Amino acid sequence: MTEGTTHADGMDWTDPHCPVARTLDLVGDRWSLLIIRDAMDGARAFTDFQHRTGIARNILTRRLRHLVERGILDRHSAPSGRRQVYALTAAGRDLFTTIVSLRQWGERHAFARDEGHSLLVDESGVPLPELRPTDSHGIPVDVDTTTVQRAN
Amino acid sequence: MTEGTTHADGMDWTDPHCPVARTLDLVGDRWSLLIIRDAMDGARAFTDFQHRTGIARNILTRRLRHLVERGILDRHSAPSGRRQVYALTAAGRDLFTTIVSLRQWGERHAFARDEGHSLLVDESGVPLPELRPTDSHGIPVDVDTTTVQRAN
């Protein structure tokens, strides 16, 4: 793999030509994506992740190791030297768009009108506008107006 | 739940106030998201999904049932009446933004420069521009310039 790609040598890809499938092979389970969400929200130590997700220790240990191996998280010693902390790599930080899209879909479809939920806000405290794919002219596109071209 | 929300009554939410977590509870596993990807790309019958993903029959059966129960897919009889077909609901179609974000991250991070991959193109055959979250003024934002506000 070239610089800038994740460290995914030796991966047994489900569908090698499809970028959706490769991403899901790397981070496509609920716990991995919740760990990434929490790392974006400031979690660094094992116990931070454990408290926020409620995930079992053995599963958390395995998921953190996979995310390090796959180039999504870096592990290093805290300044005190007494514990390990985790930080998102550049590739991990770049999952921000995906986490925002999961959040916004959830806001639209997974809450009743009277249920409260957390909000992602900008530096002025204003919620982000909805992400919508567009064509190169800025016109919104959807399932009906786009096509997947297979790799050669 | 109100109209427009998925049929998720009785869900045991991992983190009830977080829209990211609720979405992952509904669709956050690799197979579910690949099934949704394939439904967006025209898969309708059980065998379509089976051939495209290579998923085992028993897992596919269970995932399709969950996606119907959760309001992401509708199941109905084909015009011939001899088999069941699946179509995305409005909530399922609205996962397009998430699928596009997974695709674009994969294009950036899960392929070496010399590896071919499929492309998602608009009606003119042009790949979609990169999705990037912005604030309400259209300025790009990232992990450092956004904050999660907890629900009250």
Side-chain angles (χ1 to χ4, degrees):
Chain A
M1 305 221 126
T2 59
E3 261 182 13
T5 63
T6 53
H7 313 131
D9 301 309
M11 286 287 293
D12 186 15
W13 301 115
T14 302
D15 184 351
H17 294 295
C18 177
V20 180
R22 283 204 185 193
T23 303
L24 296 175
D25 285 340
L26 290 166
V27 295
D29 85 293
R30 185 174 57 142
W31 293 122
S32 297
L33 286 161
L34 288 179
I35 289 168
I36 292 162
R37 173 200 69 169
D38 290 338
M40 289 183 178
D41 196 32
R44 304 190 70 218
F46 189 92
T47 49
D48 295 338
F49 293 104
Q50 198 182 12
H51 293 153
R52 296 187 196 206
T53 56
I55 186 173
R57 289 183 65 89
N58 60 333
I59 301 177
L60 178 56
T61 300
R62 197 160 55 229
R63 289 295 190 289
L64 287 169
R65 192 181 63 234
H66 281 172
L67 290 170
V68 170
E69 288 168 358
R70 293 170 183 184
I72 311 298
L73 292 175
D74 270 334
R75 180 175 45 218
H76 55 94
S77 297
S80 74
R82 278 188 308 216
R83 57 176 195 170
Q84 300 284 296
V85 293
Y86 297 87
L88 291 162
T89 62
R93 288 168 57 90
D94 194 32
L95 283 161
F96 183 67
T97 306
T98 295
I99 297 291
V100 170
S101 78
L102 292 167
R103 158 176 287 282
Q104 293 186 340
W105 186 90
E107 291 175 351
R108 291 195 290 269
H109 299 287
F111 287 82
R113 223 156 282 166
D114 58 353
E115 285 184 295
H117 58 72
S118 64
L119 284 174
L120 184 70
V121 300
D122 66 19
E123 291 180 296
S124 311
V126 179
L128 306 193
E130 291 195 345
L131 270 175
R132 294 291 188 188
T134 67
D135 67 16
S136 54
H137 305 292
I139 311 294
V141 293
D142 63 16
V143 174
D144 296 326
T145 55
T146 55
T147 316
V148 175
Q149 281 182 351
R150 308 286 159 212
N152 293 322
Chain B
M1 305 224 122
T2 58
E3 262 183 10
T5 63
T6 52
H7 313 130
D9 301 309
M11 287 287 292
D12 185 15
W13 301 115
T14 302
D15 183 352
H17 294 295
C18 177
V20 180
R22 283 205 184 192
T23 303
L24 295 176
D25 285 341
L26 290 166
V27 296
D29 84 294
R30 187 175 54 142
W31 293 123
S32 297
L33 286 162
L34 287 179
I35 289 167
I36 292 161
R37 173 201 68 170
D38 290 336
M40 289 183 179
D41 196 31
R44 303 190 70 218
F46 188 92
T47 48
D48 295 338
F49 292 104
Q50 198 183 12
H51 292 154
R52 295 187 197 209
T53 57
I55 187 174
R57 289 183 66 89
N58 60 333
I59 301 178
L60 179 56
T61 300
R62 196 158 60 228
R63 288 296 189 291
L64 287 170
R65 190 180 67 235
H66 281 172
L67 290 170
V68 169
E69 287 168 0
R70 293 170 183 185
I72 310 297
L73 291 176
D74 271 334
R75 181 177 41 222
H76 55 94
S77 296
S80 73
R82 277 188 308 214
R83 57 176 195 170
Q84 301 283 296
V85 293
Y86 297 87
L88 291 162
T89 63
R93 288 168 58 89
D94 194 32
L95 283 161
F96 183 67
T97 306
T98 295
I99 297 291
V100 170
S101 79
L102 291 168
R103 158 177 286 281
Q104 292 186 341
W105 186 90
E107 291 175 350
R108 291 194 291 269
H109 300 287
F111 287 83
R113 221 155 282 163
D114 57 353
E115 286 184 295
H117 58 70
S118 64
L119 285 174
L120 183 70
V121 300
D122 66 19
E123 291 181 297
S124 311
V126 179
L128 307 192
E130 291 194 346
L131 269 174
R132 294 290 187 188
T134 67
D135 67 15
S136 55
H137 306 293
I139 311 294
V141 293
D142 63 17
V143 173
D144 296 326
T145 56
T146 55
T147 317
V148 175
Q149 281 182 351
R150 309 285 159 213
N152 293 322

